[in-house]
Amino acid sequence: MKLSTRNRLSAAGILSLPVLWTTVFLFIPYAIIFTYSFYQKQFPTFVPAFQFGNYALIFTDPQYVQVLLRTAKIALIVAACALFLAYPFTYFLVFKIKSPRVRLMLYMAVIVPLWVSYLLRAYTWKTILGSEGVLNSFLVMIGVLDQPSDIFLYNQFSMVVTLTYIFVPFMVMPIYTSMEKIPRNLIEASKDLGVGPFRTFLKVTLPLTTPGIVAGATFTYCLTFGDFIASFLVGGPDGLMVANVITSQFGAALNWPLGSALAIIMLIVVLTIISLSDRVERSGRLDLA
Amino acid sequence: MNPVISIRNITKAFRKGLIAVDDVSLDVEEGEFITLLGPSGCGKSTMLRIIAGFEEADSGSIFLAGTDVTDFPPYRREVNMVFQDYALFPHMNVAQNVGYGLRVSGVPKDRIARKVEETLALVELADKADNRPSELSGGQRQRVSLARALARDPKVLLLDEPLSALDANLREAMQVELKHLHEKLGITFVMVTHDQTEALAMADRIVVMKDGKVSQCGTPADLYDKPANPYVARFIGTANFIDGKVMGADDRVVEVQAGAEKLRIARVDGSPASGDVRVCIRPEKLTLVANGVSPPAGENRLSGTVDEILYHGANARVRVAVDGQDPMLVDVQLKSASLRQQLPGIGSPATVCFSRSDAMLFGEDRDR
Amino acid sequence: MTTRARKNPTTASTIDRLVERFSSMSLAGFAVLVMTFLYLPILILVIFSFNDDRSLTLPLSGFTTRWYVALFSNEDLLEAIFNSFYVATVATVITLIIGVPAAIALDRIEFPGKTLFRRFVLLPIALPGVITGVSMLNLFKLMGMNLSLETVILGHATGLVSIVVTQVFARLQRMNRSVEEVSADLGAKPWQTFFLVTLPNIKTAIIGSALLSFTVSFDEIPVTFFLTGRDNTLPMYIWSTLRRGITPEINAVGTLIVLGSLVLIFISVRMLRNPGN
């Protein structure tokens, strides 16, 4: 047997299962929702068709347009808030903390919650912001408020707080990676040349960390864009997100073609953003550990 | 006697059409120390990897001790390789590394232990058996990888730039050591290197490669004295070249017009007898004659100007700029102070002479 | 005196130094705030799980462990925990069976459609879980499968394969390829090379990513939401009780989950950081 034949056989052995799995559970399901997105709703389920009615509805019915715009807006705000929190924090970690051990420990402390129950982390904010929650009772206790207020929960504010809280580690990770990559002597050199700290930051640090910012913004934006749990737990009447609409189309509303079309739109949005940011900078990849 | 390795018309192209090995044929005799020499990218490492079975040739065949192993995977070939980066198993200690090849072939434990001990003693690392590779120095790692390859008593030991990762002192010591090991074991060594001094010092036979082809194959002395082409002449040692045109030839002499000078070169088998040619002379075959001194009779001469002198203790290398040619390098023996004083100074005119039998003649088309 | 004279700074650099000191201090303060933001909610969760009052309000009313005791008599909850263990364990095993060969293939095999394959394998890490959930729901419905814990397992495995692939792939890339060639050169058959050389070198990456997969699967909501049948996993159970209102029991079970997750994550991060030996 030729060597290349032998290699090809073992390659086929290694590949067959992953390829089969990917085809059955990723490729085909995506193909199905893609197909369904052109189907037509017909009580009680739907019938095969090829029409753009679902997409047309989404882009003309103000109800759906609004949801899409709102999702985009909240995702943008969350990404901005996460950046606002993560950038100075990470800067402090990388450039101000001298001990590598302490730095790594603090970094880990930020990353670790990422893997701790997503649901619970969203849920705690319900307990904190609720009218019978920790924040209200605290404010009443110290006398700031006379009686519990319900302005903290069930609105877009509480959603932004919760989502920022959940996704901020995704912002820290790539920024940290990009900052760690900056050679220390580059900053020293800039200072030696008599460039002030602020200009050093603008001319050296910021441009070199842009890939990290882009990557982090992409993660937080896309993750927020697809979230439906925050809306369920802490969102109010004006807190419906695309994912919530998809959920209801596959649930109570029982309009699978419309839900599929929404899922395809979400998929396109997310993939477009990812490939755009990928093009902006190929470094700053996500390191899960 | 059958050659232990027989390479027949091996050709290997990588994707993008880059030809790494181009129709190479070669026989390696048992017990030989042979070196594949060439600059990086000449295909020498690929050739070695084809022998080991890591790369598959596009065409041609490989025989090991008479068996066609062309389609054998590496683990069925009775050759073992020492890698450039040693490639020790980081998760095993030294003894486990050395015993690995025996362990995977199902050799009983006590025999493995004995062989490991014996092989480690051979490379003088008996006391490091329990260490991890990470605890060893570069030279020690090198020995472990050597011991690991030798533990299986291969017919042929392949060495891929084995000394390139070592520092200069250690490299020289290891050259000697490898040479001794080769004599002691009597097995065939095939070594790849880009370092001509290493090749000259160690090999019985050198295969000079260029662009995937064998440029010349022979003993170090052969390659130095009778290079097959200017490339080999330049790669092994230093060579001066004079470009010219053949004006006439008889049985014994070829007459070459080089600029204003007429050179007479001894004709040997294969000397070109017409067209454009390159005359090649080693620096030590040239004599330098100061102006006013009469050059030896009957020799070829080129006049020029001394433009650089590099002293190397007992001799000096003088660079002479010659009109219309590349500068000539001349090695001058400085056995006495008077000889030293006779050396023309920088900027002074001088004549370079050489005898017709010391020059080699290459046709332009043979410039490979 | 001489030292002071030599060190005497110019006015400009004094200002710079002051600016720098000020920015350092405000950055430190900001960092403390961020850490508080990250950990206060978790702390609140833990504190109220020991608070002797049904309502989650300040001031605290006393220490109790009764919510924890209540957990262990709640049969629905125990069953949900058991289900989650079952789902996470099987899903993790599957992610390894699929993910390790996939990582090896991506690292060292050239095949047509490789880029497409990589995109698809890694897609679930980038895509919102709701898409994975919905698309697999469609598949199962089309195949006429009933939703159950097993469909949840398939969903989790599909979503989490990418974790194993990225981690094992990263380790393989760092691994010295020639050790495998040496192994073959020394007479090891391919399976021997895999078990004696490759596997020991990527072992910690496999264990680390398996623990991560387990943790994520144990807590997973978006995919589970679409694919689960009548049996609840733990997060789904919490989800459904949340709709009925907040209770200290949830804080107690949450505290336990956080604790367990932290332990697993710390082990897995250690595994993924240290390349073995």
Side-chain angles (χ1 to χ4, degrees), chain A residues 66-171:
Chain A
Q66 226 178 12
V67 167
L68 277 171
L69 290 178
R70 178 190 304 135
T71 310
K73 182 187 86 181
I74 289 181
L76 201 64
I77 297 174
V78 168
C81 290
L83 178 63
F84 171 75
L85 290 180
Y87 199 90
F89 176 80
T90 316
Y91 188 91
F92 173 78
L93 230 61
V94 176
F95 295 111
K96 300 291 175 188
I97 293 198
K98 298 279 179 267
S99 147
R101 275 197 57 164
V102 175
R103 191 185 313 146
L104 189 68
M105 261 174 53
L106 281 174
Y107 175 67
M108 280 301 134
V110 179
I111 302 310
V112 158
L114 199 66
W115 305 103
V116 174
S117 180
Y118 169 86
L119 177 66
L120 284 170
R121 283 185 298 141
Y123 150 81
T124 49
W125 284 98
K126 195 183 172 93
T127 70
I128 292 170
L129 299 175
S131 57
E132 305 223 314
V134 179
L135 181 65
N136 262 312
S137 54
F138 175 71
L139 292 176
V140 170
M141 198 169 81
I142 63 171
V144 174
L145 292 178
D146 294 335
Q147 54 181 40
S149 155
D150 55 8
I151 60 159
F152 301 122
L153 193 60
Y154 301 127
N155 50 35
Q156 294 190 358
F157 163 78
S158 56
M159 282 175 66
V160 168
V161 170
T162 307
L163 288 166
T164 305
Y165 172 74
I166 291 174
F167 294 135
V168 81
F170 277 108
M171 187 63 95

Side-chain angles (χ1 to χ4, degrees), chain A residues 21 25-27 30 33 36 96 109 112 115 117 119 123 132 137 165 191 229 232 247 250 256 288-289, chain C residues 20 24 37-39 57-58 120 127 134 138 142 167 216 219 221 225 235 239 242-243 251 262 265 273:
Chain A
W21 185 277
F25 292 117
L26 286 163
F27 182 72
Y30 292 144
I33 45 170
Y36 279 6
K96 300 291 175 188
V112 158
W115 305 103
S117 180
L119 177 66
Y123 150 81
E132 305 223 314
S137 54
Y165 172 74
K191 282 182 185 161
I229 288 173
F232 257 129
T247 314
F250 281 92
W256 287 30
L288 290 169
Chain C
E20 189 144 1
S24 290
F37 176 63
L38 282 174
Y39 279 90
T57 51
L58 289 171
F120 266 104
L127 286 187
V134 162
N138 279 325
L142 201 68
Q167 295 308 313
V216 175
D219 290 334
I221 274 272
F225 182 86
W239 176 259
L242 276 182
R243 309 189 131 204
N251 285 335
L262 287 182
I265 289 154
R273 288 241 157 211

Side-chain angles (χ1 to χ4, degrees), chain B residues 159-170:
Chain B
L159 303 114
D160 187 6
E161 303 259 6
L163 308 179
S164 62
L166 302 176
D167 61 46
N169 289 335
L170 203 52

Side-chain angles (χ1 to χ4, degrees), chain B residues 49 54 74-75 79-81 83 85 87-92 100-101 103-104 132 148 152, chain C residues 110 176 178-190 192-193 196-197 200-201 277:
Chain B
R49 292 173 58 79
F54 299 134
Y75 53 88
V79 295
N80 286 121
M81 182 146 148
F83 283 67
D85 59 356
L88 298 180
F89 303 124
H91 58 293
M92 300 181 192
Y100 183 84
R103 176 180 165 205
V104 294
R132 291 260 165 182
R148 184 175 61 178
R152 278 171 57 89
Chain C
E110 290 307 321
N176 182 357
S178 41
V179 294
E180 289 173 347
E181 289 187 339
V182 167
S183 170
D185 189 61
L186 292 169
K189 291 166 189 65
Q192 288 175 313
T193 298
L196 297 175
V197 176
N201 277 292
N277 311 282

Side-chain angles (χ1 to χ4, degrees), chain C residues 162-180:
Chain C
S162 40
I163 292 183
V164 176
V165 172
T166 48
Q167 295 308 313
V168 174
F169 178 76
R171 181 66 56 84
L172 282 168
Q173 293 267 297
R174 282 208 300 262
M175 188 178 151
N176 182 357
R177 283 296 302 278
S178 41
V179 294
E180 289 173 347

